[in-house]
Amino acid sequence: MVIPVHDVNPARRTPWVTYALIAANVVVFLSMPGMAGSVAGDGSLAQLCHLQAYLDQYAVMPRELIHHQMSRLVPTGDIAVGPQGPGCVVGPPGYDKSPELSVLTAMFLHGSWLHLLGNMLFLLIFGNNIEDRMGHIRFALFYVACGYAAAYGFALANSSSGDPLIGASGAIAGVLGAYLALYPKARVWVLVPFLIFLPLRLPAWIVLGFWFGLQAVYSSGEAVSDAGTVAYLAHIVGFLAGMLIAWPLRPGTPPPPEPRGVLFGRRARPGR
């Protein structure tokens, strides 16, 4: 997997929506039960029960989204001791949940620091140019639309699932798809793990095409052991939705600057 660190594609305006989305994702993550201390590995049963109750209320459940089959018993966040030892208490939900609105709230939830930071890195690098091309308001609507497309696409293919679906990955995949449609020749600095992290400057169509190909392979369950816990299909749907929405903007999109110098190695410079 390549790690993008910088694109050679300056934006004309400050990407306020991109910055606001990053800030909102970080703030929400820190407010999630147990997540602020997850780096230290502090995962008590109380935190786990609170997190389960939190996700049941705010995450997307495919079964709820497609069939409106709301759970009669959900985690309450409390702990009790049963015949098999201590565990999380379940009971009737004390709230009214809108499955459609949960798609929006789930876009700001993440399961770990790695999940959060990976998503925010891609949004920071590629989101500014899409926001610059679309404008602030249209970009915000585009981001939400891609997130909804990704969630519904995954839910339709897993309509009987009651597992929570969280993360900004589907919406950010839409940003990547739009970037590929609008700036396929823009150069992107990446780190490639090859004995050491080798810096390369590659065209966006290679970087993002490789990323999309990996999602397709992982979605099929090949070459990865956690295909059941990562919604790779949502990434694919979000990416394609982003490409389709951005495609009509191609004719008026100014090309990225032509790269100068070598494309890789110690003599290259990220700003060139």
Side-chain angles (χ1 to χ4, degrees), residues 102-174:
S102 71
V103 177
L104 180 61
T105 57
M107 290 184 205
F108 296 91
L109 307 180
H110 291 83
S112 67
W113 280 101
L114 184 61
H115 188 197
L116 172 72
L117 296 177
N119 275 343
M120 296 305 101
L121 174 64
F122 275 83
L123 179 58
L124 179 64
I125 294 174
F126 299 105
N128 62 335
N129 293 107
I130 305 306
E131 182 177 349
D132 185 45
R133 180 66 183 90
M134 293 184 174
H136 304 308
I137 302 300
R138 285 201 298 174
F139 175 72
L141 295 175
F142 163 82
Y143 182 90
V144 172
C146 290
Y148 266 82
Y152 270 93
F154 180 84
L156 285 170
N158 300 271
S159 59
S160 62
S161 173
D163 295 330
L165 177 65
I166 61 173
S169 304
I172 295 171

Side-chain angles (χ1 to χ4, degrees), residues 189 199-201 260-272:
W189 278 92
L200 298 176
R201 189 175 66 187
R260 293 180 292 119
V262 295
L263 300 184
F264 61 91
R266 297 172 58 185
R267 294 170 54 197
R269 295 292 182 268
R272 299 176 65 184

